[in-house]
Amino acid sequence: MDYIKAFVVGGVICVLSQILMDKTKMMPGRVMVTLVVLGCILGAIGIYEPLVDWAGCGATVPLTGFGYSLWKGVKEAIDIHGFLGLFRGGFKAAAAGTSAALIFSYIASLIFQPKMKK
């Protein structure tokens, strides 16, 4: 049942993102930023955490989950370090995901040898 919940929630987030790209003139980059900011806002309001508890990876893997992770890291760092945690928390919370994305995309570029579009 956990897999079904994760699939449905992740799928709904992706469908809403695709509708946003198809029905508006927003470029994919702006949609991505919107999703990250939305995850931060929903995390700050307290709406996203119950969704993460219920759906698991279906809520944490999409970009809204990345925004939620940033918010959670900043919140924890502020509790520990005060004002300086505002700057430290997001970097610490996102470091593993960002590093993995950079490393795996570099490896993929070595394997597939991308070419520039003309």
Side-chain angles (χ1 to χ4, degrees):
M1 191 63 176
D2 291 338
Y3 295 120
I4 294 171
K5 290 189 287 188
F7 179 78
V8 168
V9 170
V12 166
I13 292 170
C14 291
V15 165
L16 293 175
S17 301
Q18 190 65 46
I19 290 171
L20 192 61
M21 283 192 287
D22 290 345
K23 298 296 180 186
T24 66
K25 294 184 179 191
M26 291 177 71
M27 299 300 289
R30 289 189 183 205
V31 173
M32 291 169 54
V33 170
T34 302
L35 290 172
V36 172
V37 170
L38 184 64
C40 289
I41 291 170
L42 292 176
I45 295 172
I47 295 174
Y48 209 77
E49 188 164 358
L51 184 63
V52 169
D53 293 339
W54 186 75
C57 288
T60 58
V61 170
L63 284 172
T64 50
F66 181 69
Y68 169 72
S69 296
L70 288 174
W71 162 251
K72 192 173 176 183
V74 168
K75 183 180 176 220
E76 290 172 0
I78 288 174
D79 292 341
I80 296 170
H81 302 290
F83 181 73
L84 289 178
L86 184 65
F87 305 104
R88 297 174 69 181
F91 289 118
K92 187 174 179 183
T98 305
S99 298
L102 289 171
I103 291 167
F104 291 128
S105 62
Y106 178 72
I107 292 170
S109 73
L110 292 176
I111 294 170
F112 296 108
Q113 298 180 3
K115 295 174 180 62
M116 296 294 292
K117 291 183 179 180
K118 293 181 181 182

